[in-house]
């Protein structure tokens, strides 16, 4: 034995049988060839199974702990390769009691309950940025399974009742014995005749075909908290699918998708907007009215007193690319701890078209400011290089 079996299973030397079983189950779920097609995991799976075979058997474990060879001279080890042909569900069923059956009792034995909790449901909701930031209530149409009112969930037509299944004598399961590399394996499977319920409904309810629930479309009111973002899920307890047999409903998750805003982009809790300034305003300085995100809420009576514009001072000599940060003017935090910032990015716009008068004034301004045209500067630069070259190498 080159490997330490306890290490192989990732358990301590004093691990009890429960811990060993748990460790094996976890590894088998990762490594079984049915689950993990990567061939390098096949050997690992074999090692793990060997380790489990020894450590789960008190006799073999004691022998191993004393330094003996629990595989009895290799005879037992010979059969291991076949393990790969054994299905994942079989192993899980054999050792851990019908995990594959899904929703059986805690021990995995016995009848499946007809009445089961329903599944969670997920629905997408697109909202605008202001609603995402400040919260809103939305009407939502949802399509889920609801309780069948004809049979009240039990699935039997009015006046009839479910009867015990003859195939499994009401046990809901049938046993099968298989020989395998792990020895004799008893596999318990849900009874096919009654689908594991142990009872059969001879006269199913016409409305729900015996399922105890029907699909229905209804309108829900959802309160969206302020600060949500794309991908946030709002949980509505017990608004999901009603379970089979009229079981309690699962939860409904509303997944938020925030629509793009024409002015603001969001970065975490910060809002970013771009303000384009005429060249003259950037040079001279000015004051502009910047619309706030709250301005989108003015029609909402709950937010009638919001500030819809911010007077933003633009300092004389503002450069393109300057950012002004307005603290606390961004998106409120979902957990209620303050607000992000509003970041205003300035872009100075150079005139692209000027009439003759404007151009003449611009040239006059350039002359007054001693600013040669870039073309002139390039020529000057060339000239000075040429001059220097001639000074260095020229005649004279
Ligand atoms: Zn029904
Ligand atoms: Zn049955």
């Amino acid at each position: 034995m080159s490997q330490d079996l306890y290490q192989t299973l990732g358990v301590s030397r004093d691990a009890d049988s429960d811990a060993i079983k748990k460790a094996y189950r976890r590894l088998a779920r990762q490594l079984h060839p049915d689950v993990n097609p990567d061939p390098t995991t096949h050997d690992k799976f074999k090692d793990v199974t060997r380790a489990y075979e020894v450590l789960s058997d008190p006799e073999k474990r004691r022998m191993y702990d004393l330094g003996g060879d629990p595989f009895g001279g290799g005879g037992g080890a010979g059969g291991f390769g076949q393990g790969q042909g054994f299905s994942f569900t079989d192993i899980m069923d054999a050792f851990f009691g019908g995990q594959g059956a899904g929703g059986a009792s805690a021990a995995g034995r016995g009848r499946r309950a007809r009445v089961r909790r329903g599944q969670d449901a997920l629905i997408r909701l697109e909202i605008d940025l202001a609603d995402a930031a400040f919260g809103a209530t939305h009407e939502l149409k949802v399509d889920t399974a609801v309780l069948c009112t004809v049979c009240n969930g039990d699935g039997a037509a009015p006046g009839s009742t479910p009867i015990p299944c003859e195939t499994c004598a009401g046990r809901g399961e049938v046993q099968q014995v298989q020989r395998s590399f792990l020895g004799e394996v008893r596999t318990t499977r849900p009874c096919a005749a009654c689908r594991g319920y142990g009872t059969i409904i001879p006269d199913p309810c016409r409305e729900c075909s015996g399922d105890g629930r029907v699909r229905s479309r209804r309108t829900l009111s959802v309160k969206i908290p302020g600060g949500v973002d794309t991908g946030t899920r709002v949980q509505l307890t017990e608004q999901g699918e009603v379970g089979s047999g009229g079981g309690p409903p699962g939860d409904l998750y509303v997944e938020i998708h925030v629509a793009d805003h024409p002015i603001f982009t969001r970065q975490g809790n910060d809002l970013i907007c771009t303000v384009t300034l005429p060249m003259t305003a950037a040079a001279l300085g000015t004051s502009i009215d910047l619309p706030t995100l709250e301005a989108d809420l003015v029609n909402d009576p709950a937010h009638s007193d919001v500030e819809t514009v911010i007077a933003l001072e633009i300092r004389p000599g503002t450069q393109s690319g300057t950012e002004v940060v307005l603290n606390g003017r961004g998106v409120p935090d979902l957990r209620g701890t303050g607000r992000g910032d509003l970041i205003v990015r300035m872009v100075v716009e150079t005139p692209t078209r000027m009439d003759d008068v404007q151009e003449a004034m611009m040239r006059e301004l350039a002359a007054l400011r001693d600013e040669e045209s870039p073309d002139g500067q390039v020529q000057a630069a060339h000239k000075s290089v040429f001059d220097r070259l001639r000074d260095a190498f020229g005649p004279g």
Side-chain angles (χ1 to χ4, degrees):
M1 290 262 76
S2 54
Q3 282 171 303
D4 181 283
L5 301 185
Y6 290 98
Q7 261 177 28
T8 304
L9 280 184
V11 295
S12 64
R13 293 217 146 244
D14 55 1
D16 62 12
S17 64
D18 239 30
I20 287 168
K21 202 184 247 192
K22 246 187 222 158
Y24 176 62
R25 173 156 70 177
R26 186 173 51 78
L27 290 165
R29 279 186 187 288
Q30 287 168 14
L31 301 173
H32 192 281
D34 285 1
V35 184
N36 194 330
D38 180 0
T40 60
T41 62
H42 290 196
D43 287 341
K44 252 193 237 165
F45 175 67
K46 272 193 261 175
D47 291 343
V48 162
T49 303
R50 277 165 81 103
Y52 178 71
E53 195 206 31
V54 174
L55 298 184
S56 62
D57 181 323
E59 204 44 45
K60 288 182 181 168
R61 182 176 178 183
R62 204 164 52 86
M63 223 164 101
Y64 174 73
D65 285 346
L66 292 170
D69 179 2
F71 294 105
F80 268 106
Q82 296 147 16
Q84 293 180 22
F86 209 58
S87 93
F88 179 66
T89 323
D90 286 343
I91 286 190
M92 289 300 130
D93 280 356
F95 282 86
F96 311 110
Q99 293 289 321
S105 62
R109 296 278 178 250
R111 282 180 294 168
R112 236 170 119 191
R114 275 199 188 274
V115 180
R116 293 163 75 189
R117 181 183 184 269
Q119 287 190 322
D120 294 339
L122 179 69
I123 192 166
R124 239 173 76 114
L125 175 67
E126 182 165 298
I127 59 175
D128 60 37
L129 184 57
D131 283 353
F134 305 113
T137 301
H138 276 259
E139 299 271 282
L140 201 58
K141 288 221 185 318
V142 289
D143 187 349
T144 61
V146 296
L147 190 73
C148 172
T149 49
V150 174
C151 64
N152 251 327
D154 75 10
S160 76
T161 47
I163 54 168
C165 171
E166 283 175 11
T167 309
C168 62
R171 278 193 298 273
E173 59 184 16
V174 285
Q175 269 195 359
Q176 218 178 342
V177 180
Q178 287 174 300
R179 299 198 61 78
S180 79
F181 72 108
L182 295 163
E184 197 170 85
V185 172
R186 238 166 250 282
T187 311
T188 305
R189 295 185 176 287
C191 168
C194 62
R195 285 168 38 227
Y197 294 126
T199 55
I200 284 174
I201 298 174
D203 186 12
C205 166
R206 250 71 92 211
E207 182 69 19
C208 63
S209 311
D211 194 32
R213 53 187 178 169
V214 289
R215 295 212 74 80
S216 154
R217 202 172 167 78
R218 65 213 151 97
T219 304
L220 273 179
S221 188
V222 194
K223 203 169 152 36
I224 311 288
V228 297
D229 202 350
T230 293
T232 307
R233 288 181 176 184
V234 178
Q235 182 182 11
L236 300 178
T237 309
E238 299 204 331
Q239 295 289 354
E241 308 275 344
V242 159
S244 58
D251 298 335
L252 175 68
Y253 289 90
V254 179
E255 189 174 278
I256 303 294
H257 183 86
V258 183
D260 287 340
H261 191 275
I263 297 172
F264 302 105
T265 48
R266 179 169 174 180
Q267 221 165 67
N269 284 344
D270 292 336
L271 292 175
I272 296 160
C273 74
T274 301
V275 167
T276 304
L277 296 169
M279 189 181 70
T280 47
L284 300 170
T286 186
S287 171
I288 56 169
D289 284 344
L290 188 71
T292 63
L293 182 57
E294 285 94 325
D296 292 1
L297 299 172
V298 283
N299 295 325
D300 182 344
H303 299 279
S304 53
D305 55 346
V306 291
E307 203 176 357
T308 56
V309 287
I310 301 169
L312 185 67
E313 287 301 315
I314 309 290
R315 281 182 298 138
T318 292
Q319 304 293 312
S320 208
T322 302
E323 284 187 355
V324 175
V325 178
L326 302 170
N327 289 315
R329 294 291 193 151
V331 175
D333 190 85
L334 183 58
R335 288 168 297 273
T337 50
R339 281 178 71 166
D341 300 329
L342 171 57
I343 299 163
V344 187
R345 287 191 180 142
M346 310 291 176
V347 171
V348 178
E349 201 172 39
T350 308
T352 50
R353 226 180 285 165
M354 288 182 289
D355 60 23
D356 292 347
V357 177
Q358 290 170 354
E359 192 182 328
M361 289 180 79
M362 199 70 95
R363 289 195 186 285
E364 200 175 325
L365 178 66
L368 274 171
R369 292 177 54 81
D370 248 353
E371 291 168 347
E372 294 179 73
S373 72
D375 193 38
Q377 280 177 14
V378 171
Q379 280 176 2
H382 273 285
K383 188 167 175 234
S384 74
V385 171
F386 185 71
D387 286 347
R388 275 185 280 133
L389 286 172
R390 196 182 50 197
D391 291 348
F393 303 110

